[in-house]
Amino acid sequence: MTQNNEPSHIYRSRRVLILGCGYMGLDIALRLSESGNLVKIMDVDSTTFSRIPDEILESNRIQTVHGDGIFEDDLRRAVADHQIDVFIAATGITSVNITSAQLAQHLIKIPNVLCVVDDEDIEEIYSQMGMHILNRRKLAVEHILVDAMEQNK
């Protein structure tokens, strides 16, 4: 309880499902698992899981799920054993990310859905529909500009 007798917030780690075990998806998974989150990573190509360090797989910090995020059954199988708090669609294919994000948000009812896209027109359309869209190019440009300006301080 806080001083004004309101219950204090209880924080817990998030349960995250990441679609895409490419460079971006794997980096996100590693960083989230290092900060104590429970992470699953799904990919249609199970050979991509070989890039996950053995000690992380053995410690069960990241669980792998072989499946295709554009199929509702595969997504439901990935979330079957526990409720997912965050879904991140981070494959290199915008159409796959958009489709899987819509399934995760509207059918599976994951509360926080993030979708990575490469196309500004797609970003605008789906943002207006209430989806949380991240444009890969904009993110990179913003990061570069911030780093460049901090170098001049």
Side-chain angles (χ1 to χ4, degrees):
M1 299 288 263
T2 59
Q3 288 181 342
N4 59 2
N5 292 328
E6 291 179 24
S8 59
H9 292 285
I10 299 172
Y11 294 99
R12 63 172 172 76
S13 62
R14 300 285 180 232
R15 293 167 295 208
V16 182
L17 174 60
I18 299 167
L19 179 64
C21 191
Y23 294 110
M24 179 182 277
L26 181 56
D27 193 31
I28 293 167
L30 291 170
R31 290 178 186 216
L32 286 173
S33 73
E34 287 170 3
S35 63
N37 295 283
L38 305 172
V39 179
K40 286 186 176 184
I41 191 162
M42 174 187 247
D43 203 293
V44 71
D45 179 4
S46 61
T47 64
T48 61
F49 301 142
S50 66
R51 294 188 312 207
I52 302 171
D54 289 338
E55 65 272 7
I56 291 175
L57 287 174
E58 291 167 5
S59 70
N60 216 25
R61 286 180 26 212
I62 295 177
Q63 296 177 6
T64 61
V65 180
H66 180 247
D68 193 333
I70 63 170
F71 294 119
E72 180 182 356
D73 288 345
D74 285 358
L75 285 175
R76 287 198 186 279
R77 183 172 41 83
V79 302
D81 56 345
H82 60 269
Q83 181 67 35
I84 297 293
D85 302 305
V86 180
F87 176 78
I88 303 169
T91 73
I93 305 168
T94 294
S95 60
V96 169
N97 292 347
I98 289 289
T99 302
S100 63
Q102 289 180 80
L103 288 171
Q105 184 175 21
H106 299 294
L107 293 179
I108 300 175
K109 306 290 187 199
I110 297 173
N112 189 7
V113 176
L114 306 167
C115 180
V116 178
V117 301
D118 294 319
D119 184 321
E120 287 185 40
D121 294 332
I122 295 280
E123 174 190 8
E124 186 175 327
I125 290 167
Y126 286 96
S127 290
Q128 290 175 359
M129 293 172 60
M131 291 186 71
H132 191 146
I133 303 293
L134 304 168
N135 183 302
R136 190 184 322 257
R137 185 188 57 79
K138 283 184 179 178
L139 291 172
V141 168
E142 288 176 27
H143 188 73
I144 290 167
L145 291 174
V146 167
D147 284 356
M149 293 301 106
E150 287 180 358
Q151 296 294 325
N152 291 330
K153 287 184 178 182

